Amino acid sequence: VQLVESGGGSVQPGGSLRLSCAASGITFSQYHITWVRQAPGKGPEWVSKINSDFNGDGKTYYADSVKGRFTASRDNAKNTLYLQMNNLKPEDTAVYYCATDLPDVGYYRGQGTQVTVSE
């Protein structure tokens, strides 16, 4: 099983980035996928969750800190999850991870992608 994040980078405040999470080794459509971020010196922060269309309601949920600015989506045909991030703020600076719960393994996340928002 692999979750591989990409799309991070450095942007100025107000800028945009689109992160991707490519999954392999799982039937992607059957899994709820979560975006989590971790800023330097801080603990993990839940960002968004997109439920499975197959096993769940297919809905997407967001933390209050990103609601209205971030949009999560999934393309089950491509086994890929996306996080469109608009109007980025310095406090969005963090390593962003996608994660899921695997049978017999539990919580599993990718290696992360760095997002830096600064002047």
Side-chain angles (χ1 to χ4, degrees):
V1 177
Q2 273 197 315
L3 297 175
V4 180
E5 302 92 339
S6 62
S10 295
V11 296
Q12 293 184 332
S16 298
L17 286 172
R18 187 175 83 152
L19 306 183
S20 298
C21 169
S24 60
I26 59 174
T27 305
F28 182 73
S29 62
Q30 297 183 6
Y31 287 84
H32 310 316
I33 309 290
T34 298
W35 284 101
V36 177
R37 66 187 181 186
Q38 188 160 11
K42 296 186 177 181
E45 177 188 10
W46 174 78
V47 174
S48 175
K49 179 184 179 185
I50 185 165
N51 283 346
S52 164
D53 301 308
F54 186 80
N55 290 327
D57 59 10
K59 292 183 178 180
T60 308
Y61 302 87
Y62 301 96
D64 288 343
S65 58
V66 306
K67 199 173 293 183
R69 300 187 298 121
F70 289 13
T71 303
S73 61
R74 64 193 299 161
D75 185 336
N76 291 329
K78 294 183 178 180
N79 282 5
T80 302
L81 181 76
Y82 303 99
L83 185 67
Q84 176 67 43
M85 306 187 298
N86 297 328
N87 190 22
L88 282 160
K89 303 176 180 181
E91 52 264 41
D92 294 319
T93 295
V95 179
Y96 284 71
Y97 302 90
C98 57
T100 191
D101 284 312
L102 299 176
D104 301 325
V105 173
Y107 182 78
Y108 181 88
R109 74 179 191 186
Q111 85 291 344
T113 186
Q114 175 71 47
V115 171
T116 303
V117 185
S118 64
E119 294 287 355

